[in-house]
Amino acid sequence: MNTARHIACLILFAIATAGCSHDAENTSAFQHISVLSSARIAVHAHGGPDAIVSADGDMSIDGKTVAVTPPQRDLLKQYFAGAIALRNDALATGAAGVATAGQAIGS
């Protein structure tokens, strides 16, 4: 039975770390959005300058402010909120995985 627990933990570890690779061919948004602070995220473009989006819906690209219309500002606010929610959900999922693995090892 102890061997089964070890195998289960190894499988959980493999699943948890599978998303941590840095494949240059991968176009997933997961490795192209960075949370800079509680008020700013960076969106990394392939072969282009980064865009910085704020919680207030402001945007700059390559350090230059981009003028946005009120509807665009609303979309940027939604984009920011979605990126923060994605990060928070990922952290919660990781913590739950660690807790599950800890219970499996301790049982």
Side-chain angles (χ1 to χ4, degrees):
M1 189 63 148
N2 200 11
T3 302
R5 285 188 197 134
H6 285 121
I7 292 172
C9 288
L10 286 173
I11 291 170
L12 284 172
F13 179 76
I15 292 169
T17 59
C20 297
S21 68
H22 295 286
D23 181 4
E25 299 298 317
N26 189 347
T27 58
S28 169
F30 294 109
Q31 61 176 306
H32 298 292
I33 298 173
S34 301
V35 177
L36 302 175
S37 70
S38 62
R40 296 180 349 140
I41 61 171
V43 182
H44 310 289
H46 290 289
D50 292 349
I52 307 297
V53 177
S54 76
D56 295 330
D58 297 322
M59 183 172 69
S60 64
I61 298 176
D62 200 22
K64 299 172 186 77
T65 301
V66 176
V68 295
T69 64
Q72 290 170 329
R73 184 171 306 280
D74 290 340
L75 288 173
L76 288 167
K77 287 178 183 180
Q78 290 175 21
Y79 186 82
F80 177 87
I84 295 297
L86 177 66
R87 191 266 320 250
N88 291 343
D89 291 346
L91 291 173
T93 301
V98 168
T100 301
Q103 287 178 351
I105 291 170
S107 296

